[in-house]
Amino acid sequence: MSSARTRLPTDLPDAVGEYFAPELSTVASYLDRVPAALDDGDPTVGPVHPVPWLYVADLTGWRGLALARLLAARRDCPCYGLSALAADAVETLWAAVDRSADGPVVVHLELRGDAGPIPAALREALRRGYERPAGPDADAVAGDPTNVVVVFTDTDPSKRLDSPLPDATTPVSGAALSYAPRDSMTPEQPAGTTTLPAPPALGDRTDELAAVLSAALDGTGSESDREQYVDSAVEALATTHAAVGRRDLLFDVSPRVALAHGHRLPAVGLDDALAGLRRDLLARVPESPGSEELRATLADLL
């Protein structure tokens, strides 16, 4: 299959699954509503489209990707990651659709705007009933729409202050996982779109975040330095999330930056690793009016 190099590993640490337990429970209840088979009715009306998608507005990209991989692990199925810039992205998508004839498959896509070859291919697949005849440069495809779950991650929701749901996903109905605590952040819903409730904020699950970092950094540096680093990193991530979140409610802090500096512990020591983490966190503050003032405030907090 041409998508071999885009198949994502799904053997994430248990701590990651525990961190995302609220999201996974919500998503599972949504997917339970997907019909076992298609009928002869209009497939573009809800409440759930036979080809379910999940939209995760996620400026750091880690939530959507982690959820896709965890969802595939729970369904014991492959997970494919599509890059909108890859030359073979459309063929990879069709290969994943073809794989759906044999069982469930999860596809993760990081959106780059409201247009592009992948959203267009998804709409084409919908129109064709997830079938494609053989052509000069393409194999025949016959998939099962009820087996395909697409997880969109939007790392640049340009209209996030009023309508973060991208046009690329309409008229395909699905679910928007909402991290938005106020009405003005709720997506405009096309027919059949379900807005799933917001899961706990990072500040409400710092124990789970500490477990994620501890599991990933196990054996790195001395036990004392590692424990101090994890405690300080969790505090820095939560502080950054809380400070920036007042301005940009879709902002999230990926633990990747903490892991990157945590793995430097044996080489640079505790103080330098934490200093590097704090510099990187400040650099990740989104550019917007007033962001310089926000950076100054955050620098004082860190």
Side-chain angles (χ1 to χ4, degrees):
M1 183 183 292
S2 63
S3 59
R5 67 177 178 274
T6 59
R7 184 161 173 170
L8 302 173
T10 57
D11 54 343
L12 294 171
D14 292 342
V16 178
E18 291 170 4
Y19 182 90
F20 283 106
E23 286 95 329
L24 289 170
S25 177
T26 298
V27 170
S29 64
Y30 161 71
L31 292 177
D32 283 345
R33 298 163 60 195
V34 177
L38 305 186
D39 55 30
D40 296 329
D42 183 351
T44 63
V45 297
V48 177
H49 191 277
V51 188
W53 55 258
L54 299 167
Y55 171 73
V56 184
D58 178 3
L59 296 181
T60 60
W62 90 287
R63 293 186 298 209
L65 180 58
L67 282 170
R69 296 166 66 187
L70 289 168
L71 181 59
R74 290 201 168 189
R75 297 189 141 208
D76 192 23
C77 73
C79 181
Y80 298 100
L82 302 187
S83 168
L85 302 180
D88 64 346
V90 171
E91 280 308 304
T92 298
L93 173 63
W94 277 109
V97 169
D98 194 48
R99 168 65 177 76
S100 71
D102 300 324
V105 59
V106 176
V107 177
H108 174 259
L109 169 65
E110 185 171 307
L111 288 173
R112 293 180 180 271
D114 292 347
I118 295 297
L122 281 170
R123 287 193 291 268
E124 179 186 359
L126 171 65
R127 289 194 300 269
R128 291 171 178 257
Y130 274 50
E131 295 186 0
R132 184 182 69 175
D137 301 314
D139 297 329
V141 172
D144 181 349
T146 63
N147 277 335
V148 182
V149 177
V150 181
V151 180
F152 294 101
T153 297
D154 194 347
T155 57
D156 186 21
S158 59
K159 299 179 181 179
R160 59 181 177 267
L161 293 181
D162 51 5
S163 178
L165 192 66
D167 290 340
T169 58
T170 57
V172 181
S173 57
L177 186 60
S178 175
Y179 286 80
R182 66 173 185 250
D183 291 342
S184 63
M185 297 289 290
T186 302
E188 294 176 359
Q189 299 178 34
T193 298
T194 301
T195 299
L196 303 179
L202 185 151
D204 296 324
R205 42 183 170 182
T206 52
D207 289 346
E208 291 83 355
L209 179 58
V212 170
L213 297 181
S214 295
L217 295 174
D218 186 37
T220 301
S222 70
E223 182 177 356
S224 175
D225 282 356
R226 187 168 62 251
E227 290 179 353
Q228 289 183 66
Y229 178 82
V230 168
D231 289 344
S232 296
V234 169
E235 182 180 1
L237 292 172
T239 298
T240 303
H241 182 274
V244 180
R246 295 190 183 98
R247 297 284 190 89
D248 191 335
L249 299 177
L250 295 183
F251 179 80
D252 193 22
V253 183
S254 169
R256 293 170 185 161
V257 61
L259 293 177
H261 288 284
H263 283 296
R264 297 173 59 235
L265 273 173
V268 303
L270 177 62
D271 291 342
D272 283 354
L274 287 173
L277 169 61
R278 289 162 181 147
R279 283 195 303 270
D280 273 3
L281 288 175
L282 286 173
R284 280 165 168 72
V285 176
E287 293 287 347
S288 62
S291 62
E292 288 303 320
E293 179 183 350
L294 178 58
R295 280 191 182 87
T297 301
L298 185 56
D300 291 339
L301 292 173
L302 294 177

